[in-house]
Amino acid sequence: MTTKRGLITDSFKVVKKSRRGAKQRKSPTPPPSQPEDVAPSAREEDLQQLKQFDLDWRFGPCTGISRLQRWERAKLHGLNPAEEIRELLLQTQLSLWLSYTVSLSLL
Amino acid sequence: MFSDLSAQREGSSLLCRPASEDQGPVFERTTIDYSPCTERYRLGERSFSRQYAHIYAARLMEMRPLLSERAKHKWGSDVLIKKLCDLETGEQCCIVGTLFKRMDLQPSILKEISEEHNLLPQPARTKYITEADELILEDELQRIKLEGKIDRDKCVTGSVIVIYGAEKNDGKFTVEDFCMADLPLQTPRPELGSDKFVLLASGLGLGSSKADSMLGLQLLVDMVTGQLGDTGEQSGAATISRVLLAGNLLSQSTQDKDASTKPKYLTKKTQAGSVEAMRLLDELLLQLVASVPVDVMPGECDPTNYTLPQQPLHKCMFPLSSAYPTLQLVSNPYSANIDGVRFLGTSGQNVCDIRRYSSMESHLEILEETLRLRHLAPTAPDTLGCYPFYQRDPFILEDCPHVYFSGNAPVFGSKLVKGSDGQEVLLVTVPDFSSTQTACLVNLRTLQCEPVFFSAFSADEDEESEMNVSH
């Protein structure tokens, strides 16, 4: 699988624990606050919205079909899915990356 | 009636001297408008990686509004329609859901291969129902056991219905009444001026070891192409405007898989039985298509995919007859508009499958039941193979046909069903030609159906009895 659009470590930063000698193992310090908190949180918010869409029981099963196909099906049967979900899905930057995370988030 | 038309004898021309130069009367076949509904049952890309939950979800999504309306119509507009998760004990309400019948005898591959049960594969039975079956209703999230005034033996898995009743304390729902989606709306058919007939036949059974039905088939072809009888019968045959072959054109014996079990050196030079049978079929069709438009539907024993909807037979198998534009290779199920009369039907797999899992015996009764359920094949995909659709269930009847048929029935049957909104549907169970030598003629003007028998003397029976005597 190509990951040209981003790596998982973009969204979930690797936290390196600093070693202070073998015996003085204290509880790991919390990760330092990210300077770019603002930008990924918008993306994470979108991701959360899409996850909520996946788990919404009114639109049927979510596995095996793409989110856009599921949205289209819901629209076809008159279940009024939110339009903003469709807009999110059509933004090209997000769609590929997030469709990759569907399989991860459902694990 | 067709038999009346052909009985008009204007002086038996067969017994006259043959005409010298002139050809004799030429009859023009009645033409009809024909438009097939091809898109609904054709598959584009085929991806089997999906699960079947989608087709059930799509089915329930599509039928829910229809059934809610029926419920309001039947039990009053103020009746509560609830979901199972909102159900309260003792409250009278309606629930829309999919039926599931848990049968002990239902063949389960998991039970067969499970080592702890150590079971031998079950032989095929005619009926898989027992007294211990349970009916369960499922909606999107939950399921509940049903008891009460619902005929458990008659219902099959996969039917979407609405039930009215209350949940009693023991967690089961007591059904006081239930309702099906019933017939959809029908566009009225146009008035036709003259009698026009469509011939329905199925189960030709070519390529079988016994060739009993070959003479009957040839008689059928000769009758339709006008080579049989005198001018009265020929003019009658000219009113047959279309022929529809509803499945099982090849016989069951072409399906035997001996070649796969025998070693290669024994089977290297042998052809599959279906090759010779297809050649026979092509030659038979050639005689027909030269004179009348023919629709060919595949059936259970034909070389196409197994799962419903079966895709049309490929035209490379019909080198002779596909040269004619009158040959239409169509899917199973098949829907078409023939001169304003809507035809819809299958080759009988849906009806046979329902027969195995319910107490209903007559194919005609089962056909009516599927019409009332508004679904061609409710047992798909549970016990009947089906493609994993996800967006919509194409077997739901959207508009009411005028002629609803199913092929390969043991006997001929026809019935006119009237719906509550003025719909009129002719139900036809097309009999299996190889065993009954019967085909059906549907009159497009009056929506009546009559059987046509082709009987031939069978010399086999006499020979067998002589052999017995000699032994």
Side-chain angles (χ1 to χ4, degrees):
Chain A
M1 294 287 287
T2 57
T3 48
K4 285 185 195 150
R5 302 295 164 101
L7 302 166
I8 187 171
T9 47
D10 284 352
S11 179
F12 299 100
K13 291 282 177 203
V14 172
V15 176
K16 286 198 169 62
K17 302 172 201 169
S18 54
R19 281 188 175 251
R20 294 172 194 173
K23 286 187 187 176
Q24 290 168 25
R25 278 285 178 84
K26 293 178 196 172
S27 53
T29 52
S33 59
Q34 319 283 314
E36 334 106 37
D37 240 343
V38 185
S41 74
R43 242 192 300 174
E44 286 200 8
E45 217 179 78
D46 293 336
L47 181 56
Q48 274 305 315
Q49 248 192 320
L50 289 171
K51 279 193 202 172
Q52 287 305 312
F53 171 69
D54 283 339
L55 297 173
D56 193 343
W57 61 268
R58 291 174 296 155
F59 308 130
C62 61
T63 53
I65 53 175
S66 74
R67 280 187 176 120
L68 191 60
Q69 284 174 323
R70 186 159 175 263
W71 194 94
E72 297 288 342
R73 173 175 77 190
K75 185 82 186 175
L76 186 68
H77 291 285
L79 299 169
N80 291 327
E83 290 290 336
E84 49 203 31
I85 308 265
R86 184 160 197 265
E87 275 148 43
L88 271 180
L89 291 170
L90 290 174
Q91 285 168 35
T92 42
Q93 259 189 330
L94 275 174
S95 59
L96 279 171
W97 164 232
L98 288 165
S99 58
Y100 174 67
T101 57
V102 165
S103 43
L104 296 170
S105 61
L106 290 175
L107 279 171
Chain B
M1 298 285 276
F2 183 75
S3 38
D4 300 332
L5 283 175
S6 40
Q8 290 155 15
R9 296 195 185 280
E10 305 135 353
S12 196
S13 53
L14 286 175
L15 294 174
C16 304
R17 194 166 298 152
S20 42
E21 293 100 23
D22 54 350
Q23 236 182 333
V26 174
F27 298 93
E28 285 289 324
R29 195 176 291 279
T30 49
T31 51
I32 44 171
D33 296 320
Y34 168 73
S35 60
C37 310
T38 45
E39 292 320 306
R40 199 169 165 85
Y41 302 112
R42 295 302 299 270
L43 300 172
E45 52 92 32
R46 289 170 221 195
S47 153
F48 281 85
S49 57
R50 271 194 294 274
Q51 296 204 348
Y52 288 107
H54 294 280
I55 192 175
Y56 281 118
R59 195 182 290 182
L60 189 56
M61 276 184 214
E62 201 169 327
M63 306 271 285
R64 184 177 274 281
L66 307 167
L67 284 166
S68 307
E69 214 182 284
R70 287 268 171 217
K72 291 203 162 76
H73 192 253
K74 192 166 179 184
W75 299 304
S77 52
D78 53 347
V79 72
L80 288 168
I81 301 182
K82 286 198 142 184
K83 299 234 190 308
L84 281 175
C85 47
D86 304 323
L87 201 57
E88 283 166 43
T89 322
E91 190 185 8
Q92 289 279 93
C93 59
C94 289
I95 308 178
V96 176
T98 315
L99 274 179
F100 177 75
K101 189 154 85 168
R102 200 185 56 77
M103 297 172 275
D104 290 327
L105 292 176
Q106 181 175 352
S108 162
I109 187 68
L110 294 176
K111 280 190 202 155
E112 277 182 29
I113 60 175
S114 153
E115 277 152 11
E116 59 190 42
H117 286 251
N118 225 3
L119 286 175
L120 295 164
Q122 268 194 37
R125 305 166 70 107
T126 40
K127 292 265 185 218
Y128 290 92
I129 51 174
T130 53
E131 275 308 303
D133 295 338
E134 280 181 341
L135 264 187
I136 297 164
L137 192 81
E138 290 188 5
D139 68 359
E140 289 92 349
L141 295 172
Q142 295 185 355
R143 46 157 53 182
I144 193 166
K145 283 196 193 156
L146 297 182
E147 60 187 7
K149 293 193 187 130
I150 185 165
D151 191 347
R152 179 204 61 202
D153 289 324
K154 208 172 156 195
C155 297
V156 284
T157 301
S159 349
V160 186
I161 58 169
V162 58
I163 53 175
Y164 179 65
E167 184 197 349
K168 296 289 188 289
N169 283 331
D170 58 351
K172 290 193 191 178
F173 193 92
T174 307
V175 179
E176 280 162 38
D177 197 5
F178 72 99
C179 177
M180 298 189 273
D182 221 11
L183 280 71
L185 290 176
Q186 188 183 60
T187 48
R189 61 195 168 89
E191 290 289 325
L192 290 172
S194 58
D195 281 336
K196 290 182 191 175
F197 292 89
V198 172
L199 183 87
L200 297 172
S202 78
L204 305 184
L206 291 168
S208 71
S209 44
K210 337 173 268 158
D212 282 347
S213 62
M214 290 305 284
L215 181 55
L217 265 177
Q218 194 57 52
L219 281 176
L220 174 76
V221 171
D222 285 342
M223 183 202 84
V224 171
T225 53
Q227 287 161 14
L228 214 58
D230 68 347
T231 50
E233 266 149 32
Q234 286 178 319
S235 64
T239 58
I240 298 179
S241 46
R242 201 162 192 96
V243 172
L244 214 160
L245 299 175
N248 277 359
L249 309 156
L250 269 51
S251 97
Q252 178 74 34
S253 54
T254 57
Q255 292 278 304
D256 62 345
K257 300 282 194 286
D258 281 347
S260 56
T261 48
K262 282 192 191 152
K264 266 284 193 240
Y265 69 93
L266 286 173
T267 58
K268 201 167 174 181
K269 293 285 175 64
T270 55
Q271 260 182 351
S274 47
V275 174
E276 182 60 30
M278 285 308 284
R279 199 183 57 79
L280 276 174
L281 178 64
D282 192 27
E283 285 172 0
L284 193 82
L285 283 178
L286 179 67
Q287 297 174 48
L288 273 177
V289 295
S291 147
V292 63
V294 182
D295 293 333
V296 180
M297 285 170 66
E300 206 180 324
C301 308
D302 293 324
T304 183
N305 56 315
Y306 165 72
T307 51
L308 283 189
Q310 283 184 302
Q311 301 301 287
L313 297 166
H314 201 283
K315 69 178 174 99
C316 68
M317 295 195 281
F318 302 101
L320 301 167
S321 37
S322 59
Y324 289 83
T326 42
L327 179 71
Q328 292 278 338
L329 297 164
V330 297
S331 60
N332 168 30
Y334 172 55
S335 165
N337 201 318
I338 301 180
D339 226 10
V341 178
R342 266 208 78 219
F343 275 68
L344 173 66
T346 62
S347 301
Q349 291 112 315
N350 54 335
V351 172
C352 288
D353 199 62
I354 294 175
R355 191 162 176 269
R356 277 197 280 269
Y357 297 99
S358 90
S359 59
M360 295 187 277
E361 285 291 341
S362 137
H363 280 235
L364 203 58
E365 196 189 336
I366 296 174
L367 202 59
E368 190 179 348
E369 192 73 8
T370 58
L371 188 63
R372 300 244 177 242
L373 279 171
R374 213 188 279 208
H375 201 277
L376 274 176
T379 52
D382 187 35
T383 42
L384 185 61
C386 162
Y387 177 75
F389 293 101
Y390 74 94
Q391 195 159 36
R392 56 185 321 162
D393 187 346
F395 301 118
I396 296 179
L397 272 63
E398 299 214 314
D399 49 353
C400 197
H402 298 103
V403 179
Y404 183 41
F405 64 91
S406 92
N408 299 298
V411 288
F412 165 76
S414 86
K415 184 177 173 182
L416 197 63
V417 168
K418 295 208 193 298
S420 53
D421 294 316
Q423 301 104 329
E424 261 193 356
V425 188
L426 173 69
L427 299 180
V428 182
T429 50
V430 187
D432 179 47
F433 196 88
S434 55
S435 53
T436 58
Q437 317 283 303
T438 314
C440 324
L441 276 171
V442 175
N443 189 336
L444 295 180
R445 186 178 64 90
T446 60
L447 264 201
Q448 282 178 324
C449 185
E450 51 174 323
V452 186
F453 298 97
F454 298 92
S455 64
F457 293 110
S458 167
D460 295 339
E461 289 171 355
D462 297 335
E463 281 173 45
E464 268 180 78
S465 58
E466 281 175 11
M467 279 171 64
N468 286 337
V469 162
S470 62
H471 283 311

